Amino acid sequence: MDPIEAANGLSFRVGFSGHSGHLRLEPLSTVESSDPVKSLPDFILPPAFPRETPGSIKEYIEEKYLSLRLDDEVFASEKVGRQWDFDWFDKADVPLEPSLPRCVVVPTWELPFRRQKNGSAEGEWEPKSVQVDVSELIVGARESGSLPRLAGPAKDFVRGSINNRPFRPGGLDDSQSLERVVPDGACNGEWVRELLVGGSPQAVPPSFKQGLDLGDLKAYPCSWNVYKDQSSMESTSDEKLSGLSVQFDDLFKKAWEEEVVEFEGDGQLSGSESVKSEDEAKEVDVAIDSCEPELSLLDELLSVEAGETKSRSNGTGEDDEQNPKAWAISGGTEYIAQNFHDLVPNKAMDFPFELDKFQKEAIYYLEKGDSVFVAAHTSAGKTVVAEYAFALASKHCTRAVYTAPIKTISNQKYRDLCGKFDVGLLTGDVSLRPEASCLIMTTEILRSMLYRGADIIRDIEWVIFDEVHYVNDVERGVVWEEVIIMLPRHINIVLLSATVPNKVEFADWIGRTKQKQIRVTGTTKRPVPLEHCLFYSGELYKICESESFIPKGFEAAKDAFKKKNMSSATGGSGSQAPASASHDGTRSQKQSSNWGGKQKKQSGPQNSGNFSRTRGENQNKNGMNSWGLRRSDVSLWLSLINKLSKMSLLPVVVFCFSKNRCDKSVDSMYGTDLTSSSEKSEIRVFCDKAFSRLKGSDRTLPQVVRVQSLLHRGIGVHHAGLLPIVKEVVEMLFCRGVIKVLFSTETFAMGVNAPARTVVFDTLRKFDGKEFRQLLPGEYTQMAGRAGRRGLDKIGTVIVMCRDEILGESDLKHVIVGSATRLESQFRLTYIMILHLLRVEELKVEDMLKRSFAEFHAQKKLPEQQQLLMRKLAQATKTIECIKGEPAIEEYYDIHSEAENHNTEILEAVMQSPVAQQFLTTGRVVVMKSQSERDHLLGVVVKAPCATNKQYIVLVLKHEPPPQTPLGSGNLQDSKSTDFRQGFFVAPKSKRGLDEDYCSGVKTRKGKGVINIILPHQGSAAGVSFEVKGVDIKDFLCICNCKIKIDQVGLLEDNSSAAYSKTVQQLLDTKSDENKYPPALDPRKDLKLTDMNLVATYYKWTNLLQKMAKNKCHGCIKLDEHSKLAREKKRHSEEVDALKFEMSDEALQQMPDFQGRIDVLQEIGCIDADLVVQIKGRVACEMNSGEELIATECLFENQLDDLEPEEAVALMSAFVFQQKNTSEPSLTPKLSQAKQRLYDTAIRLGQLQSHFKLQINPEEYARENLKFGLVEVVYEWAKGTPFADICELTDVAEGMIVRTIVRLDETCREFKNAASIMGNSALYKKMVTASNAIKRDIVFAASLYVTGV
C-alpha cells in the first residue's frame, strides 16, 4: 500500500494481517527503507479456521447431507414400537415459497336491494368485512397439485404454456380422483422396515430410468411392533365404502353414510313439517331469497331419493323449497319482471329499450352471481344477457370471455361491442388487445387456454357460450363439453342457445358437473311471429301461421298441382308441360353437376318425384337445350322476386344447399336490378373503401369483380367459397338494407346476425356429406328464424319453393312445426385430450368421461345404485349347515351351472344324433337327469323304443334310502298308466316286430313281450333304491362306454327280485372308488364328431359330470334345499358384482376406446408404461390444427428436414385442407416423394390403431386426415405467385384456398413450438421462414369487422 502523508509529516500505512482479518496501522520513516525484512509485521495471528481444500469440502458435504442416518427425534429409543402415523411423502415436501397467511379480511357483497346505507353521510353503501380462510379464496385459482401455483411469464399469460398444469376444474374439488395415490408401503411403514433390516431402498421413482445410488446399507438394530388401535378398526367400513364408491355427486356423500346405518328410517315429512314448509314457501318468494335455508339430513335424503332433476314450473317458489338441491332451476316469477328496477337498482349498464321478461330474469340472476342458461328464439335479444355479463365484469374489475363456434361471429361481436366495452379478440390468426377485460374468442382457443393453464383464467368471472346448440355438431361438439368440464369453480357460466326441447336436462348436466345451480330461462314464442307459405306455379299458399298448420292452404296447393298435371297430361296447356319438364331437367342436371358422380347415383331414388324427373330428362334429351333450362330458372326466380316486391316482402334471404346452386341461381338473375340510384352510390362507395386495402392485381380478381356487379343491382351471394373480405362486404351491405335478394347457404343463418323480411327455401332436401335427406326441424327453425326484423316487421314470411312436386302433409308438418333437435352429446376421446390429462397426475381421463353429457344419465343414477348396493351388502345371508362337514354346495352349484351352459348344445348335436342313438341299446350304461335337475343318476337301458312304445325303458339308481315296503311293490305315479293297472298293453304277436320281442340275457326262455310292471316302478336292491321308468332321448346326459348283461324277462315280465339285485349290483360295480361314473364314449372314435369345438365342449361336459359325481354333495338328501340357498347366494353375489361394475369406470361407454388409445400411445412412445407423458407426447400436445399422431410422427421421422420451407409448408397443407373431391395436383418429384412418405406413415398409424381394436380403417383414416388437393397451390403461393394465378391451378373455390392458408399459418406456429420442444433449431427456423412466406396480400387481409371500413 502506498504511504499516506500525515499532517505532521509522519508517514504510516494501513493493512490487514492474519486470517482473522485484523486491521494494522504501521508508522513509516520519513525516508522509505528498501529493506524488505523491515516491512513485515511484528506478529501474525494464527488462522481462525483450518485451511479448506477440495477434499475437506467434499468430506463435510457427505457427512452433513449425503450420509444416511435416522432422525433422532423420530427413531428415539423410547419410541420403539410406535405406529407410523405420518405420510412419508409429505415429509419430503419442501415448499419453495414463503408460507401464506391463514386468514385475510375481505368485504362481503350483498344484493343491491338488501344493502343498508346507514352510517354514511352520502348515503352510499358500505360493505361489511369478514375474516375468510385463504384456502377458500384460492381454491379456484389452484392447479391440480396441493400447493398454489406461481404466475408464469408474461408471454404465456393469455395463451398458457405446455409446461403449465391446468387449473382444477370445478366440481372436482372434493373428488376422490384428486387425492394423491400413495403406495401402501409408504403409508404403513413397510418400506422403512425393509430399509432398517438392511433391504434395498426405494431409490428409483416411478417412470425414472435410474435413481440414487445409496451403496450397500447395513441393518439398523431395532425392534418392530405393529399395533392396531381403535381408530384403524373403525375405519375399516369407511375404507370398504370408499373402495366401492365411484361418486359423481360428492354432495350426497354424507347422506349415503347415514343411509348405511339406518336406511330403514327413510320416510316422508310429517304432516306438521310439510304444512310448515308450504306456509313458508307461500310467505317468502323464492325470487327474493338471497340464500338457501340450511338443510336437514332428512331433507337431503328425500332430495337424493327423488333421483331426478326437479324444475320450477310456477312462480310460487314451492319447488325450490321442496327440492333445494335441484341443479337446473327452470321458470322464473312474475315478481322479478314487475319489480325489476327495485330488485336491481344499481344496474351495471342501462339499455335504451324496455327489457323482455326473460332478459330481466337473466340479469337478476347475473346480479346474484348465478350461472344462467338462456334458450330463446332467434332475434329475441339473447345478446343483451351477454352484454350485461361484460358490464358486470367491468364493474367488478374482472374479466369476461365470449366464445362462439364460428370465427365470423367472433369478428362481428368484436365490432358490435368494441364501442361499449374494453374488448379484445383472440382467434387462430388474430390477437387484438389480449389484455382487455372483455375477450372474444373461439371455443377452441378457450379450450387450449384451459389445458395450458393460462394465468388469465384466474381473472375470469364470466364465460359466455353463444350458439350452444352447436354442441350437436359431430366434429366440433366435443369442444363445448371439454370446456364446460374444465372450467374452474370460480367461473360463472352464461349459455345462449336457440330453443331446444331438453334445455333443463342439459342445464342439469352442467349443474351436476360444476356443482352449482343453473338458472334456466328463455322465451316461449317468437317476438316476431312467422307465417309459412308454399310457392307453386306463381302463387303463394299459406300453410302455417302462429305455429299452427293450416290444412286448407295445403289442400289448395295440392289441388293446383293436380290441375296442372292433368292439363299437362291432356295437352290442354302445352306451354306449361315443357316448362315444368324443362325445369325438372334443370334440377336434375344441376344436381349432377354440383355433386359429381357419387351423388348422381343417389339423386334418383332419394327424390319422391321420380316420374316427373324422368319425363323431364327424356324431354331434355329430345331437344331441350341449356338455354331453355336457364330460361325456365330465370322465369321462376323473376316471378317470385316480382311477387315479393309487390307485396313489400323484401329483403329476402334464399337458402340453397350447395355453393354451385347459389352461384347458378344468382347468374339466372342477370337482368334484374333492385336498387335505386342512391343505393347504388352507397354500395359503390362502400365497396371502393373495402377493396382499397387490396393490391392492384387482387382488386381485379374475377370473384371480386363479379360480386361487385351483383351488389350494384341489389343481389348478393354468400357461401364458403367466397373470399373472406367479399363475404364481409356482403354481410355488412345486407345489414344496411341495400341488398334486396341474398342467395346463401345455411352457414349464413348460424354465423351472421342479419335478419330479413322474408326467407325462401330453394328446397327442403340437403346433402349432409353422406346422403340426401330432408331438413331436420331444428335446421329449418334456425334458418326460418332469420325472417322477421324486430321493430320493423309485424310478421315474418317463410316460403318453400315447390317446382315439380309438393311434399306430403306429414313431412311438411314434421319440418315446420316439429319438435326442435335435442341437444345430444358428441363427446369422443381424442389423443390430445388424453395426453393433456395424463400430464396432470390428479386429473384422470376417467373423470372427463364420467362428466361428459353422454354419461350424464348413467352417472345420475349412481346415488340410487350406491344406496341399493349398501342395502344389498347389509342383507343377512343364510348359512348352509352341511351334514357332511365343510360345505361344498357352492362349488357343486358352480359346476352344475357351468354344465347347464353346454346342456343344450350337447343334447342337440351329440345325444340326438343317429350315431349316438345306435349305442342306446339294451344293457348300455347311461347317465340320466334326476327330477331335481341339479343332480344326475347312473342307469342302464332295459328296452329300446319300438313301434308301440316310443320311449326308452331304463333302470336308474336313486340316492334316496331304501323304502321299508316289500321289494317290487311299485306305486303308480304316472297318470297315463292309470287305465292299464294290470300291465302294459302289448300288440298281438302276429303284429309285433322283431324288436318288440325280447329274450333274457341270462335265461334261454323267450319272453312273451308283456310288461307286467307299472311304470314308473320303484324298489330297492343291494341296499340301493332304484327306479324303472320310460324316458325320452332328451333325458340322457351321457352314454358310457360299457355295457352290462341284464335279464329283460326277469325285470319287465317276471318282476324278479333276483334280476333286480343282479342288475343293481352290476351298475354299482361300474363305479370307481372315487364314486366316478364309467368313462363316456369317445367323441371322435365312437360318436364320429368332426367339429373340433364340439369335441372340446363334449370333453369339458363329461369332465364336469365326473366332478359333480365326486363332490360330496352328489346324492345328498339336502341337495335341493342347499342348492336353493346356493342359488340365492349366487344371485345376490352377481347382483352386487353387477352394481359394482355399473358404478366403476369400466362401465363407461368409451372405456374400451380409451384402453385402445392408451395402447397406441404407448406403442409409438408418447407415454411410457407408467402413463407418464414423454417428449413425443408433449410434441403431440402442440398439434391442434391437424391429426396429432400423423403430425408428430412426421416430425420425429424428420420428414421435413430435406424439404425447402416452401415445400414443407405445401406438404403441411394436407393437415388442414378439408375438401374431399378436388382436381389432382401436379407436384415436383421431391414433393411427390414426400407426399407418399407421409401417406405411408398415416397408413401405418391406421393399421396400428386397428390392431388395438379401434374402429378405424387404415385407408379411410389416411384419406380423412390427409388431403393433398392444395399442395401445388400452397407451394406456388409460398414461392410468391399472385393469387389470381394460383386459382387457375385447381378447381377449389377461392374462399377455401384462403381459409386453408390462414389455418396453415397456425399450423406453422404449432410446428415451430414443437421444434422448440424437440430442440430442432433448423426446423424452427424453417417454420419461421415458411410462415413469413405465406403471410401476404389478400390471404391475410385484415377483417373489416376488426379494422372498420
Side-chain angles (χ1 to χ4, degrees):
M1 192 175 202
D2 295 336
I4 301 175
E5 295 294 333
N8 55 3
L10 179 63
S11 300
F12 64 94
R13 62 182 179 182
V14 180
F16 293 93
S17 63
H19 290 86
S20 60
H22 294 285
L23 286 176
R24 182 179 178 85
L25 181 66
E26 181 180 0
L28 299 175
S29 58
T30 306
V31 181
E32 184 68 30
S33 174
S34 59
D35 189 1
V37 178
K38 294 182 179 180
S39 64
L40 295 175
D42 296 336
F43 176 74
I44 299 177
L45 294 176
F49 302 98
R51 185 176 183 84
E52 294 181 348
T53 62
S56 63
I57 295 175
K58 180 179 179 182
E59 182 180 359
Y60 174 79
I61 294 176
E62 290 179 350
E63 175 67 18
K64 182 69 176 177
Y65 300 104
L66 301 183
S67 298
L68 290 175
R69 58 182 179 181
L70 300 177
D71 190 347
D72 296 334
E73 296 182 1
V74 178
F75 295 94
S77 57
E78 61 271 11
K79 296 182 179 180
V80 172
R82 177 184 175 185
Q83 184 181 1
W84 303 103
D85 55 356
F86 58 89
D87 188 351
W88 295 93
F89 284 178
D90 287 343
K91 286 293 182 180
D93 285 346
V94 181
L96 301 179
E97 301 180 19
S99 59
L100 297 174
R102 295 185 177 181
C103 299
V104 293
V105 177
V106 297
T108 58
W109 187 84
E110 295 179 280
L111 287 172
F113 58 86
R114 292 189 177 275
R115 297 173 181 172
Q116 297 180 358
K117 301 180 180 180
N118 300 333
S120 176
E122 294 81 4
E124 296 181 354
W125 170 64
E126 294 182 357
K128 300 178 182 178
S129 299
V130 295
Q131 184 172 313
V132 182
D133 192 350
V134 173
S135 61
E136 298 180 3
L137 298 178
I138 65 175
V139 66
R142 287 189 300 177
E143 63 168 349
S144 300
S146 58
L147 295 176
R149 52 176 284 178
L150 291 172
K155 65 182 183 66
D156 299 329
F157 180 76
V158 177
R159 298 278 184 168
S161 172
I162 194 66
N163 298 320
N164 292 345
R165 296 158 67 90
F167 292 92
R168 177 174 298 174
L172 291 179
D173 298 327
D174 300 325
S175 175
Q176 296 178 0
S177 62
L178 293 178
E179 297 177 359
R180 180 163 37 187
V181 179
V182 181
D184 295 335
C187 297
N188 56 24
E190 289 296 330
W191 288 2
V192 177
R193 180 182 182 184
E194 184 180 358
L195 187 66
L196 293 177
V197 297
S200 59
Q202 302 289 336
V204 182
S207 78
F208 277 56
K209 296 181 179 179
Q210 60 183 6
L212 296 175
D213 184 9
L214 302 178
D216 296 332
L217 302 179
K218 297 181 180 180
Y220 182 80
C222 66
S223 60
W224 191 271
N225 299 325
V226 179
Y227 295 94
K228 288 187 177 180
D229 56 4
Q230 188 66 21
S231 60
S232 63
M233 299 295 292
E234 293 176 352
S235 63
T236 304
S237 60
D238 295 337
E239 293 173 359
K240 182 178 181 181
L241 288 181
S242 63
L244 297 175
S245 174
V246 183
Q247 295 188 6
F248 176 69
D249 290 333
D250 297 313
L251 179 67
F252 305 122
K253 183 177 180 180
K254 177 182 177 182
W256 299 139
E257 291 176 351
E258 296 292 337
E259 192 72 9
V260 175
V261 180
E262 46 179 345
F263 60 88
E264 297 178 353
D266 296 348
Q268 298 181 351
L269 286 171
S270 62
S272 59
E273 291 176 345
S274 60
V275 172
K276 181 179 179 181
S277 61
E278 291 177 1
D279 295 339
E280 292 176 353
K282 293 179 180 179
E283 291 175 2
V284 183
D285 197 297
V286 65
I288 311 176
D289 293 339
S290 60
C291 59
E292 300 285 352
E294 187 175 356
L295 302 175
S296 65
L297 179 60
L298 184 58
D299 290 333
E300 291 183 4
L301 292 177
L302 290 175
S303 64
V304 167
E305 287 182 354
E308 298 179 358
T309 302
K310 305 293 185 182
S311 61
R312 299 183 187 179
S313 57
N314 49 34
T316 61
E318 296 179 2
D319 292 340
D320 189 34
E321 293 293 334
Q322 296 177 358
N323 303 290
K325 289 303 178 184
W327 298 112
I329 304 177
S330 176
T333 61
E334 294 292 339
Y335 184 86
I336 296 177
Q338 295 173 359
N339 301 275
F340 174 72
H341 297 287
D342 297 331
L343 295 175
V344 190
N346 300 321
K347 292 186 289 292
M349 70 175 297
D350 295 318
F351 297 93
F353 50 85
E354 180 65 21
L355 298 176
D356 292 340
K357 176 185 174 183
F358 82 95
Q359 294 170 337
K360 293 179 179 180
E361 292 177 4
I363 290 175
Y364 169 75
Y365 294 137
L366 292 182
E367 284 282 358
K368 289 181 62 177
D370 293 340
S371 297
V372 180
F373 186 0
V374 180
H377 291 80
T378 306
S379 303
K382 297 186 291 291
T383 307
V384 169
V385 183
E387 292 182 3
Y388 199 84
F390 274 3
L392 281 178
S394 302
K395 180 180 180 180
H396 298 163
C397 298
T398 57
R399 297 179 189 267
V401 171
Y402 176 94
T403 68
I406 299 177
K407 181 181 175 182
T408 304
I409 301 180
S410 300
N411 293 338
Q412 191 177 27
K413 289 298 179 184
Y414 178 81
R415 183 198 65 174
D416 296 341
L417 302 177
C418 196
K420 300 179 182 179
F421 306 101
D422 179 25
V423 183
L425 179 65
L426 293 176
T427 59
D429 59 321
V430 177
S431 179
L432 295 177
R433 303 191 68 252
E435 72 281 357
S437 62
C438 302
L439 293 176
I440 299 174
M441 63 184 68
T442 57
T443 317
E444 282 80 2
I445 297 295
L446 179 57
R447 178 183 64 173
S448 177
M449 292 166 55
L450 290 170
Y451 277 138
R452 292 169 170 268
D455 289 310
I456 196 175
I457 301 295
R458 304 173 188 267
D459 304 337
I460 297 177
E461 181 184 8
W462 302 95
V463 170
I464 301 110
F465 295 92
D466 199 2
E467 308 290 348
V468 174
H469 50 270
Y470 207 81
V471 75
N472 285 337
D473 185 75
V474 177
E475 295 296 328
R476 300 172 58 204
V478 61
V479 181
W480 272 255
E481 295 190 51
E482 285 185 75
V483 171
I484 290 173
I485 294 172
M486 290 296 295
L487 285 177
R489 192 181 71 174
H490 69 279
I491 296 179
N492 293 321
I493 303 173
V494 178
L495 302 112
L496 308 178
S497 170
T499 53
V500 289
N502 60 334
K503 59 183 179 181
V504 176
E505 177 190 12
F506 192 78
D508 187 23
W509 165 68
I510 297 176
R512 288 179 181 272
T513 302
K514 311 309 295 180
Q515 293 290 291
K516 60 173 63 178
Q517 290 184 333
I518 308 295
R519 302 282 183 168
V520 182
T521 185
T523 58
T524 56
K525 60 180 180 179
R526 285 181 51 85
V528 179
L530 296 180
E531 62 176 6
H532 304 262
C533 303
L534 296 179
F535 181 76
Y536 180 74
S537 187
E539 295 295 333
L540 290 175
Y541 301 91
K542 185 185 297 185
I543 60 172
C544 183
E545 187 176 15
S546 301
E547 299 184 1
S548 299
F549 196 80
I550 305 176
K552 292 183 178 180
F554 176 77
E555 293 297 334
K558 204 71 175 177
D559 292 340
F561 174 75
K562 292 179 180 179
K563 290 180 181 179
K564 185 174 182 179
N565 285 344
M566 290 177 61
S567 61
S568 300
T570 57
S573 55
S575 60
Q576 293 181 0
S580 176
S582 64
H583 174 72
D584 197 41
T586 302
R587 185 172 63 174
S588 175
Q589 180 179 354
K590 290 184 177 182
Q591 283 186 354
S592 302
S593 62
N594 291 346
W595 296 108
K598 180 178 179 182
Q599 285 75 27
K600 195 182 300 181
K601 299 178 182 179
Q602 299 178 357
S603 60
Q606 292 290 339
N607 197 303
S608 60
N610 292 331
F611 66 93
S612 300
R613 178 180 301 277
T614 304
R615 185 181 65 225
E617 289 175 353
N618 292 336
Q619 293 188 9
N620 185 23
K621 293 177 183 177
N622 292 333
M624 180 64 65
N625 55 19
S626 60
W627 172 251
L629 303 179
R630 183 178 180 184
R631 183 177 57 187
S632 173
D633 218 22
V634 169
S635 61
L636 182 69
W637 287 115
L638 285 179
S639 62
L640 175 63
I641 299 304
N642 290 335
K643 193 171 191 64
L644 294 179
S645 179
K646 292 179 182 179
M647 299 174 65
S648 300
L649 295 180
L650 298 179
V652 58
V653 177
V654 181
F655 284 109
C656 306
F657 298 106
S658 73
K659 299 188 292 291
N660 292 337
R661 183 66 183 165
C662 285
D663 292 335
K664 292 183 178 181
S665 298
V666 168
D667 293 339
S668 66
M669 302 184 64
Y670 54 89
T672 305
D673 193 346
L674 302 173
T675 56
S676 62
S677 57
S678 60
E679 291 174 336
K680 292 181 186 295
S681 175
E682 181 181 356
I683 293 172
R684 184 177 296 106
V685 171
F686 185 88
C687 290
D688 291 342
K689 288 184 179 180
F691 294 124
S692 63
R693 62 189 66 198
L694 302 180
K695 286 174 51 179
S697 59
D698 292 337
R699 296 178 190 174
T700 58
L701 287 173
Q703 186 181 104
V704 175
V705 175
R706 172 173 169 269
V707 171
Q708 286 191 77
S709 174
L710 291 172
L711 294 177
H712 290 161
R713 294 186 283 118
I715 302 172
V717 61
H718 187 282
H719 54 71
L722 296 180
L723 295 168
I725 190 172
V726 174
K727 284 200 297 184
E728 292 177 351
V729 168
V730 173
E731 293 165 6
M732 290 182 174
L733 288 177
F734 187 82
C735 291
R736 293 191 176 193
V738 294
I739 295 181
K740 309 302 181 182
V741 180
L742 176 64
F743 291 88
S744 171
T745 56
E746 60 181 319
T747 55
F748 183 82
M750 173 71 75
V752 183
N753 183 18
R757 175 67 179 85
T758 306
V759 165
V760 175
F761 287 90
D762 180 55
T763 179
L764 292 182
R765 300 181 64 82
K766 63 175 287 189
F767 183 76
D768 60 1
K770 297 180 181 179
E771 62 180 358
F772 281 99
R773 61 169 175 82
Q774 202 172 52
L775 285 182
L776 299 176
E779 297 170 339
Y780 180 88
T781 303
Q782 179 74 22
M783 289 179 274
R786 294 301 172 190
R789 298 162 295 178
R790 189 171 186 180
L792 297 177
D793 305 322
K794 294 183 179 180
I795 192 170
T797 305
V798 182
I799 300 174
V800 179
M801 299 285 289
C802 298
R803 293 182 173 88
D804 57 350
E805 61 180 347
I806 295 179
L807 285 178
E809 183 177 355
S810 60
D811 294 336
L812 284 174
K813 281 184 177 181
H814 174 70
V815 174
I816 297 176
V817 297
S819 177
T821 306
R822 292 172 54 86
L823 294 179
E824 300 288 347
S825 175
Q826 303 297 334
F827 188 86
R828 69 182 189 279
L829 280 174
T830 61
Y831 289 105
I832 283 189
M833 181 196 308
I834 295 174
L835 290 171
H836 274 301
L837 295 177
L838 289 180
R839 289 194 305 115
V840 185
E841 180 181 354
E842 294 84 357
L843 290 182
K844 298 181 180 179
V845 182
E846 292 87 337
D847 290 326
M848 184 72 78
L849 291 176
K850 288 189 293 186
R851 283 155 178 80
S852 67
F853 190 40
E855 296 287 345
F856 166 61
H857 292 290
Q859 297 297 319
K860 188 177 179 180
K861 296 178 182 177
L862 278 184
E864 298 177 4
Q865 293 176 339
Q866 225 171 15
Q867 183 184 30
L868 180 59
L869 177 60
M870 301 308 172
R871 293 181 175 179
K872 291 286 185 184
L873 294 176
Q875 287 180 358
T877 57
K878 297 181 180 180
T879 58
I880 300 176
E881 299 179 356
C882 182
I883 60 176
K884 298 183 180 181
E886 188 69 22
I889 186 62
E890 294 182 11
E891 178 186 359
Y892 185 87
Y893 182 81
D894 292 339
I895 298 174
H896 174 265
S897 300
E898 187 176 359
E900 283 293 316
N901 296 332
H902 307 293
N903 190 9
T904 304
E905 182 180 5
I906 295 297
L907 289 178
E908 294 180 355
V910 180
M911 303 306 297
Q912 298 181 9
S913 64
V915 179
Q917 294 181 14
Q918 293 177 3
F919 288 92
L920 293 176
T921 57
T922 303
R924 175 65 62 180
V925 179
V926 293
V927 179
M928 306 295 300
K929 289 183 179 179
S930 66
Q931 293 181 352
S932 65
E933 295 185 356
R934 296 183 186 89
D935 201 356
H936 50 276
L937 308 173
L938 187 64
V940 62
V941 178
V942 178
K943 188 178 186 302
C946 58
T948 57
N949 183 21
K950 302 301 183 182
Q951 288 186 317
Y952 289 90
I953 298 178
V954 297
L955 182 147
V956 296
L957 303 182
K958 302 182 68 176
H959 301 303
E960 289 84 356
Q964 301 298 325
T965 57
L967 179 65
S969 59
N971 55 347
L972 186 65
Q973 295 181 6
D974 193 353
S975 61
K976 296 182 180 180
S977 62
T978 55
D979 296 334
F980 306 98
R981 294 186 180 273
Q982 301 301 322
F984 268 69
F985 172 78
V986 180
K989 184 176 181 180
S990 60
K991 296 184 179 181
R992 294 203 302 264
L994 294 176
D995 56 344
E996 297 186 47
D997 292 334
Y998 51 83
C999 299
S1000 173
V1002 294
K1003 293 183 180 181
T1004 59
R1005 181 172 66 86
K1006 188 176 182 181
K1008 298 179 181 179
V1010 178
I1011 302 177
N1012 292 327
I1013 61 174
I1014 299 176
L1015 300 182
H1017 173 78
Q1018 296 182 0
S1020 62
V1024 178
S1025 299
F1026 65 84
E1027 183 179 15
V1028 182
K1029 59 182 179 179
V1031 296
D1032 296 325
I1033 186 65
K1034 62 182 180 180
D1035 294 324
F1036 291 99
L1037 293 179
C1038 179
I1039 305 175
C1040 300
N1041 63 356
C1042 61
K1043 294 180 68 176
I1044 62 174
K1045 294 183 179 181
I1046 62 173
D1047 183 2
Q1048 291 180 330
V1049 177
L1051 295 177
L1052 299 180
E1053 187 175 343
D1054 298 340
N1055 194 11
S1056 172
S1057 59
Y1060 282 113
S1061 298
K1062 187 172 183 178
T1063 303
V1064 171
Q1065 187 61 47
Q1066 289 184 81
L1067 277 177
L1068 293 176
D1069 292 341
T1070 60
K1071 287 189 176 183
S1072 63
D1073 296 337
E1074 298 179 352
N1075 201 29
K1076 293 174 63 177
Y1077 292 153
L1081 292 174
D1082 188 271
R1084 287 176 292 183
K1085 294 180 181 179
D1086 300 330
L1087 299 177
K1088 310 301 181 183
L1089 298 181
T1090 58
D1091 189 352
M1092 298 307 297
N1093 294 329
L1094 185 59
V1095 170
T1097 304
Y1098 181 83
Y1099 279 128
K1100 188 175 183 180
W1101 161 264
T1102 55
N1103 290 333
L1104 291 173
L1105 295 182
Q1106 294 289 1
K1107 287 183 180 180
M1108 292 175 64
K1110 291 173 59 178
N1111 193 289
K1112 61 183 180 181
C1113 295
H1114 180 64
C1116 179
I1117 59 176
K1118 290 192 174 183
L1119 178 61
D1120 290 345
E1121 176 186 351
H1122 290 176
S1123 294
K1124 292 180 181 179
L1125 294 177
R1127 183 177 68 250
E1128 292 296 325
K1129 194 172 183 180
K1130 185 72 173 179
R1131 183 183 57 81
H1132 180 269
S1133 176
E1134 290 176 351
E1135 291 176 353
V1136 170
D1137 292 340
L1139 282 173
K1140 290 180 181 179
F1141 176 78
E1142 292 176 4
M1143 297 166 59
S1144 67
D1145 295 340
E1146 301 299 325
L1148 299 174
Q1149 296 178 7
Q1150 301 193 36
M1151 184 55 65
D1153 184 60
F1154 168 60
Q1155 296 294 346
R1157 291 180 183 270
I1158 287 292
D1159 294 337
V1160 171
L1161 292 175
Q1162 289 180 343
E1163 183 70 20
I1164 65 178
C1166 289
I1167 58 177
D1168 62 7
D1170 296 317
L1171 303 184
V1172 176
V1173 180
Q1174 306 299 300
I1175 185 173
K1176 201 171 188 179
R1178 295 184 60 197
V1179 169
C1181 289
E1182 295 286 345
M1183 305 301 171
N1184 294 306
S1185 57
E1187 216 290 330
E1188 52 269 24
L1189 292 189
I1190 302 177
T1192 304
E1193 289 296 307
C1194 173
L1195 290 179
F1196 276 85
E1197 292 176 358
N1198 300 320
Q1199 296 187 15
L1200 303 180
D1201 287 1
D1202 59 340
L1203 302 179
E1204 297 298 324
E1206 296 82 4
E1207 297 171 330
V1209 73
L1211 186 66
M1212 291 162 55
S1213 67
F1215 291 110
V1216 295
F1217 182 49
Q1218 295 180 343
Q1219 187 170 324
K1220 294 181 180 180
N1221 301 321
T1222 60
S1223 59
E1224 188 67 24
S1226 176
L1227 305 180
T1228 63
K1230 196 173 182 181
L1231 271 178
S1232 298
Q1233 182 181 1
K1235 169 189 172 183
Q1236 187 62 40
R1237 186 171 52 194
L1238 185 61
Y1239 185 81
D1240 293 341
T1241 300
I1243 291 291
R1244 178 174 56 83
L1245 289 173
Q1247 293 172 347
L1248 180 64
Q1249 296 176 78
S1250 177
H1251 171 70
F1252 286 109
K1253 309 302 181 184
L1254 295 179
Q1255 301 299 321
I1256 289 178
N1257 182 278
E1259 288 75 17
E1260 291 183 4
Y1261 173 78
R1263 288 195 301 267
E1264 290 294 326
N1265 294 289
L1266 293 177
K1267 299 180 178 66
F1268 299 96
L1270 287 186
V1271 173
E1272 180 186 9
V1273 172
V1274 176
Y1275 177 66
E1276 295 296 334
W1277 176 255
K1279 290 173 61 178
T1281 305
F1283 188 80
D1285 295 338
I1286 67 171
C1287 291
E1288 300 295 330
L1289 300 176
T1290 180
D1291 57 353
V1292 180
E1294 295 90 332
M1296 186 64 69
I1297 295 175
V1298 172
R1299 181 183 179 186
T1300 300
I1301 298 178
V1302 169
R1303 292 190 61 194
L1304 194 55
D1305 179 60
E1306 184 179 356
T1307 307
C1308 289
R1309 288 200 302 269
E1310 295 171 358
F1311 274 57
K1312 182 179 66 174
N1313 295 336
S1316 178
I1317 296 175
M1318 297 170 60
N1320 192 339
S1321 58
L1323 180 61
Y1324 185 94
K1325 296 177 182 178
K1326 186 177 295 184
M1327 290 297 102
V1328 173
T1329 305
S1331 177
N1332 294 332
I1334 62 176
K1335 292 175 66 174
R1336 61 182 177 87
D1337 299 347
I1338 191 173
V1339 174
F1340 285 86
S1343 171
L1344 299 179
Y1345 290 118
V1346 176
T1347 60
V1349 181

